[in-house]
Amino acid sequence: TTAADRTDIASGTFNTCDWVIDANGKLTITKQEGMSSGMLGIVTVTNNVTTGLPWYDYLSQIKSVYIGENVMSSYNAANIFAKMPNVTTIDVSNLNVQFATDLGDMFSSDPKLTSIIGLGNWDLSKAERMSTMFSNDTLLSAVDGIGNWNMLNVTDIRSMFSSCKEINIKELSSWDTSNTVSYTHLTLPTILLV
């Protein structure tokens, strides 16, 4: 991994996407030039060791994230934006997650994260696992649009909002969680347990 521009912190590829962290700490992920779309790779965490994340060595330098147009996640979107200690905003307005079944830990353990933009645009009709998706995001307060999510196929929302102290979500009452079987440590709100 090297920097494309000498002022950039780092850049590279992630499956069929390009990524760059600029001098201001903004991680931008785009489809590769000449491609109609780009697909993110898969990140795995085994025994607390992360593999497959190309910007792993730069997590502490990332302050914001922007996803460009025509970028899609694979079936496994888990851990893609997790463990960034200094990120404050993540804009996923353009991220297509229609094929994702696993979104667990996607944004977890980002202690300075205050807002995630564009969540209301997501097609989650294939999603099954969303456990600990926002866990340990203690400053997260803006997740507008998640009331629009199709939760019908989701079976696991364990600890989805664990330790989210600033979040105020009233729109979750519209979620159909009739197929959800795992609620352990779901702290917000109890209305989900219908």
Side-chain angles (χ1 to χ4, degrees):
T1 305
T2 58
D5 177 302
R6 59 189 172 103
T7 62
D8 292 338
I9 295 169
S11 63
T13 60
F14 187 30
N15 200 19
T16 59
C17 293
D18 289 327
W19 64 274
V20 62
I21 303 170
D22 70 18
N24 295 317
K26 181 179 182 179
L27 168 62
T28 301
I29 304 169
T30 57
K31 64 182 178 69
Q32 290 179 340
E33 193 172 325
M35 303 281 287
S36 59
S37 64
M39 183 170 285
L40 297 172
I42 295 173
V43 177
T44 57
V45 178
T46 307
N47 296 325
N48 212 22
V49 176
T50 303
T51 56
L53 189 64
W55 50 83
Y56 181 81
D57 291 338
Y58 308 97
L59 290 176
S60 66
Q61 296 176 45
I62 298 171
K63 297 177 182 173
S64 65
V65 176
Y66 173 76
I67 309 296
E69 292 182 4
N70 300 313
V71 172
M72 333 197 280
S73 75
S74 71
Y75 70 92
N76 185 344
N79 300 293
I80 297 271
F81 305 114
K83 298 179 181 176
M84 292 191 266
N86 295 307
V87 72
T88 58
T89 59
I90 298 176
D91 186 345
V92 292
S93 301
N94 295 316
L95 182 60
N96 181 342
V97 295
Q98 68 177 336
F99 302 112
T101 58
D102 187 351
L103 295 105
D105 291 290
M106 189 172 187
F107 304 101
S108 70
S109 301
D110 293 336
K112 293 183 182 177
L113 180 63
T114 58
S115 68
I116 304 172
I117 302 160
L119 291 170
N121 301 336
W122 283 9
D123 172 0
L124 293 172
S125 56
K126 291 187 174 33
E128 296 173 6
R129 178 180 172 264
M130 299 174 85
S131 62
T132 59
M133 187 172 182
F134 306 103
S135 70
N136 299 314
D137 294 342
T138 54
L139 297 180
L140 183 62
S141 59
V143 288
D144 297 340
I146 67 172
N148 301 329
W149 283 358
N150 177 351
M151 300 291 285
L152 189 58
N153 293 317
V154 178
T155 57
D156 185 355
I157 54 175
R158 285 174 297 133
S159 302
M160 189 173 182
F161 300 101
S162 177
S163 300
C164 293
K165 299 173 186 169
E166 300 296 322
I167 207 160
N168 182 11
I169 304 170
K170 296 177 183 169
E171 57 187 320
L172 300 188
S173 60
S174 62
W175 281 6
D176 179 350
T177 58
S178 56
N179 290 318
T180 304
V181 293
S182 188
Y183 296 100
T184 311
H185 300 111
L186 185 68
T187 54
L188 269 182
T190 53
I191 198 161
L192 283 178
L193 304 176
V194 183

